[in-house]
Amino acid sequence: MEDLKGLYAKKIRPATVELERMRSRARSYSFPGLLFLVVGMGGWIIGIDKIPYLPKSVPPKFFLLAVAGIGVLIGMKGARARAAYRRAYKHNVVGLVARALAPGLKYDPNGFVDQGRFEASGIFDHFDKYLGDDLLQGDLNGIPLAMSELEVSYSVPGDSSECPVFHGLFMRFEASRRLKHRTVVIPKSTKDLIGPLLVRLLKVRNT
């Protein structure tokens, strides 16, 4: 615990000062971008044909589209600022904490568990989209381990939508002995409906 307190005081806390500036800067784009977009597109859709102080040589609809375009540009700049903030947060905070808690593990913010290891689990065998991030991989107290966030789905034929089959934390480790375990796969619709009740029943049964 003392090591974590020292890590926070010496490295994480100073980093959060700049991170807070980056977060505030990213948030500052949200309202202006939305305002310009709503005013521009709203006026264009309503059909405003007169704008005070606008030169007669400039068509009102062209001006309103330009206003909406400015809103889009501000939104894009805000999106880039938010992406930069997330990258900095993962590098300066998550990476430091991961190395402090588990020195034997390497953290890769853009990496994820390779597809072969996911397929070897045997739980899902039909998907065509495999993405992820936040990979922790290495040796934890003598146990080879790899874990990351994964987003796995497949495309529906004749439809532009995607059907998710897995979205969450996936972990793979090699144990030196057999472990008694149970795997429960619950459809999302069922989980949202009876998930809390099912979790309670499983806890009661295992006590």
Side-chain angles (χ1 to χ4, degrees), residues 5 10 22 27 69 75 108 124 126 129 157 164 167 172 204:
K5 288 182 178 179
K10 294 179 181 178
M22 295 178 68
R27 293 181 61 184
D108 181 0
F124 306 102
H126 175 60
K129 180 182 177 182
H167 190 184
R172 181 185 184 277
V204 170

Side-chain angles (χ1 to χ4, degrees), residues 44-202:
W44 188 85
I45 293 172
I46 293 173
I48 295 177
D49 56 3
K50 289 184 179 180
I51 299 177
Y53 308 109
L54 182 69
K56 294 182 178 180
S57 59
V58 180
K61 285 195 172 183
F62 176 81
F63 177 78
L64 291 170
L65 285 177
V67 171
I70 293 174
V72 171
L73 292 176
I74 294 175
M76 292 173 62
K77 193 169 184 179
R80 289 194 293 269
R82 288 190 294 272
Y85 167 75
R86 287 193 294 268
R87 288 193 300 269
Y89 181 85
K90 287 185 177 185
H91 177 75
N92 295 323
V93 178
V94 179
L96 287 173
V97 173
R99 288 191 293 271
L101 293 177
L105 298 180
K106 293 182 179 180
Y107 173 68
D108 181 0
N110 301 314
F112 48 90
V113 175
D114 64 76
Q115 186 171 326
R117 289 179 173 179
F118 180 80
E119 292 175 340
S121 67
I123 302 176
F124 306 102
D125 58 5
H126 175 60
F127 56 88
D128 49 32
K129 180 182 177 182
Y130 188 81
L131 301 172
D133 57 7
D134 292 334
L135 173 65
L136 274 172
Q137 183 172 248
D139 185 272
L140 182 63
N141 296 327
I143 300 176
L145 175 134
M147 58 187 293
S148 74
E149 289 286 335
L150 290 181
E151 183 178 346
V152 187
S153 61
Y154 66 86
S155 302
V156 180
D159 194 348
S160 60
S161 63
E162 294 182 342
C163 181
V165 296
F166 185 87
H167 190 184
L169 181 65
F170 182 84
M171 179 187 299
R172 181 185 184 277
F173 65 92
E174 299 177 11
S176 58
R177 59 189 179 88
R178 296 180 65 87
L179 299 175
K180 185 179 180 180
H181 65 282
R182 175 184 298 147
T183 301
V184 180
V185 180
I186 307 173
K188 187 177 186 303
S189 57
T190 305
K191 175 179 176 292
D192 293 341
L193 184 63
I194 65 170
L197 176 61
L198 185 58
V199 169
R200 291 192 185 95
L201 289 174
L202 288 174

